[in-house]
Amino acid sequence: MPGPARQPLFSYGTLQFPQVQLARFGRLLDGSADALPGYRMTYIEITDPEVIAASGTDRHPLVVAGSADADAVDGTVFAITDEELAAADDYEVDDYARTSVVLRSGTRAWAYLDARAATGQGPSS
């Protein structure tokens, strides 16, 4: 019998932290290095006390569209269950929107991008 469905999730920020993974998913995630081309990193201040407690910081990275051809954001792609994806959605504050992206490897994955600019249909689109 097949295991639970897996969703590819690209993380460039606090979802890579072991303490966040344990708090959100109840386990440490296995992942592989990848990058999101065409974007650059910036930072925002988070005010949600639960998110700050889980991550240990109120300063969280946020990716926005880059202006240089060489712009790319390094991170990790994880294979998570639908339930874990819902837990990740719950963790991310309103500044982020889950968006379908294509990584440098060619993998289509979910990523949390700037909610003001994000659009997408999902990894299978």
Side-chain angles (χ1 to χ4, degrees):
M1 187 154 139
R6 296 289 176 173
Q7 297 279 347
L9 176 65
F10 178 73
S11 174
Y12 53 88
T14 61
L15 286 174
Q16 295 178 93
F17 294 0
Q19 72 269 22
V20 173
Q21 293 177 12
L22 289 171
R24 295 279 47 162
F25 312 122
R27 68 181 182 101
L28 294 176
L29 302 178
D30 291 321
S32 58
D34 213 326
L36 180 59
Y39 289 83
R40 64 181 174 78
M41 187 99 66
T42 187
Y43 288 86
I44 59 171
E45 184 179 340
I46 301 295
T47 58
D48 184 306
E50 185 178 329
V51 173
I52 294 168
S55 68
T57 181
D58 67 351
R59 190 168 182 261
H60 284 221
L62 178 70
V63 296
V64 297
S67 57
D69 289 342
D71 284 344
V73 175
D74 293 328
T76 304
V77 63
F78 300 106
I80 61 174
T81 67
D82 291 341
E83 290 173 347
E84 290 168 333
L85 186 59
D89 285 345
D90 186 53
Y91 171 75
E92 298 294 354
V93 297
D94 291 342
D95 297 294
Y96 298 89
R98 180 163 42 101
T99 305
S100 176
V101 298
V102 177
L103 303 175
R104 183 175 287 149
S105 65
T107 300
R108 184 171 289 277
W110 292 114
Y112 293 96
L113 305 182
D114 185 349
R116 298 169 294 183
T119 62
Q121 298 298 312
S124 60
S125 298

